[in-house]
Amino acid sequence: MTLTLQVACYPMNTYPEPDEFPETSLNVFRDTQDSNIGVAFSGGGTRSACCTLGQLKALHESGMMAKVRYISSVSGGAWASVPFLFLNNEQLVKYFAGVEQPNHLDEKAAKHVVPGSFQSCLTNASVMAPLLKAVLSGEGDESYADVIGRIFLKPFDLHLPDKSFSFSQQTLDAALTRNMALAQSGRLNTTDFQLQRSNTPFMIVGATLLNHDGLNFRQKYPVEYTSLYSGIRTQWADDDLFTPDDYFGGGYLESFGYDCKGAYREGKLNGQQVMTVRRAALHNGNWSNERAFSLSDIMASTSAAPQAFTDMLGLKFLGFPEFYYVPIQTKNHAPKIAEEYAHSDGGLMENLGIMPLLARGVSRLYVFINTKCPYFPQTEWHSGMPISTIDIEKTNINKSLKALFIPLRDSFGLKEFGDNLVFKDGSTRLKELIQAFSQQTELANNGLSSYAKRGLFHTQELETRQNRVFGVKAGQKVTITWIYNQRSKAWEDSLASQQMADEIRNQKLDDWDPLNLDNFPHYETFMQNSAVISLNGVQSNLLASHAWFVARLALL
């Protein structure tokens, strides 16, 4: 029988105060008010997942993790951060196994991948054949989620698609209290949920809701999945003359009630606004058992990059995530009716994961930009060059980072994309960052490659400007350390195998590349090794070690 659930509903202002977010009422947040630190891990497939693994280890070992309130991640960054937050303490050693200091990595060690480690997930990340099998087995829009869950969660006993998830015992107890009848009958209990490991930062995973049934120019909306609630914070309406109006956003729904139909009733229970929803019946050829909104679902959604095209073309049979979404606020008391929408890659809107942290007023950020493109200064740059003469367009600084400061131009120079503008005095502040990056960068191989002397990172004091799309208020002061995925000479010099170091240093000079290091550490997001998302052992070992090494320097 389909479950009818009473789930907490959290309406939000367009620009809420930080203490209005639901998690701030939890005991763990009241106990850590002085640690207003957030960490963001960018998207980038297995490249970013591998970097995130090393960066998480650096945060864990340094003791910094105990001070972090939020971890925000997108796409490949979420592939690594979600299992990290939900595995138990005994599994941490297994998860980090194989992430070595560079002086421990000779060629033999670099080829060895510890079975059962997260690195082994990255080196066995076959997608196409398992996805086809899942589609043909009748998994429907759960197909991609099943594949991603088997790759990144199953090795840690976390791929449990019949289970929901919650933040803590406190939030789980509140959910069960709201559903007392189900709990008493045994149809909903503690064993139906996965909980974050205690004393870990609050999880935020970015995704994008796609709406292709109207003519409104804005057809995608930023979704946040957290271990307590999920939804779209800012309020939107797709109102045109040819289709019924669609409403999106205005707040959040308790995560175990996401992907449900409703709302059947609304009211208050013990002072908490509550919505009655029902798990959707199976359809569209999916003859699998009814499933909860699970960790596999959010990891699949945040990384479903191809869905931006497949959904627009109507190719729903490919098995990418589709979830029922119910708006939290509508105009003129319009009904709140759940409809099913494609939920795609968070990087379609914001690939760094920084916006949810800024919206929550986080004052100290560490942003890991796990980009596939090395940083190059403009050709005429020199150390005494005034900031005013820096030409932003002559550098290849990461576009997701660039978009936070200045509008992006399209390929023809005809339009500008400004949805992600969030920093005051953006052009000047971006030039300051470019100057700092350029001072740390050396060109090599006649300008064909570049590297940082130690690591490419810089700390800035910035002030926000208002951003309507992501609900960020103006005037917030924030300190951000940007950590960029760039070759580190110090790390290369420390490698136990200088033969491997030479292969990295000599990249692009010849066709000899037996260890596939020619574009280290900027591996492709897709199709790096003629496979959709997998890395080989040498690549994953060196990339995780490199990310760990640079993160340790940046956190000092």
Side-chain angles (χ1 to χ4, degrees), residues 279-342:
R279 286 192 181 164
L282 303 179
H283 64 294
N284 290 343
N286 183 341
W287 57 83
S288 59
N289 293 328
E290 179 187 38
R291 289 182 175 178
F293 187 65
S294 66
L295 295 181
S296 304
D297 287 324
I298 66 172
M299 290 177 66
S301 171
T302 189
S303 61
Q307 193 168 36
F309 303 100
T310 60
D311 181 68
M312 186 169 56
L313 297 174
L315 304 177
K316 296 181 180 293
F317 61 87
L318 294 177
F320 291 112
E322 295 178 356
F323 304 137
Y324 278 94
Y325 172 79
V326 55
I328 304 303
Q329 299 185 57
T330 59
K331 290 182 179 179
N332 302 321
H333 306 289
K336 300 176 182 177
I337 301 174
E339 293 188 44
E340 193 172 40
Y341 296 97

Side-chain angles (χ1 to χ4, degrees), residues 81 104 131 136 172 239 244-245 268 271-272 301 307 310-311 360 375 385 427 451 455 459 471 479 505 526 537-538:
S81 66
H104 293 171
L131 180 59
L136 295 177
L172 174 56
D239 45 0
D245 293 349
K268 285 199 172 183
Q272 171 66 57
S301 171
Q307 193 168 36
T310 60
D311 181 68
R360 286 163 174 78
Y375 174 78
M385 191 172 184
S427 178
Y451 61 85
T459 301
T479 302
R505 296 182 187 119
F526 305 106
V538 174

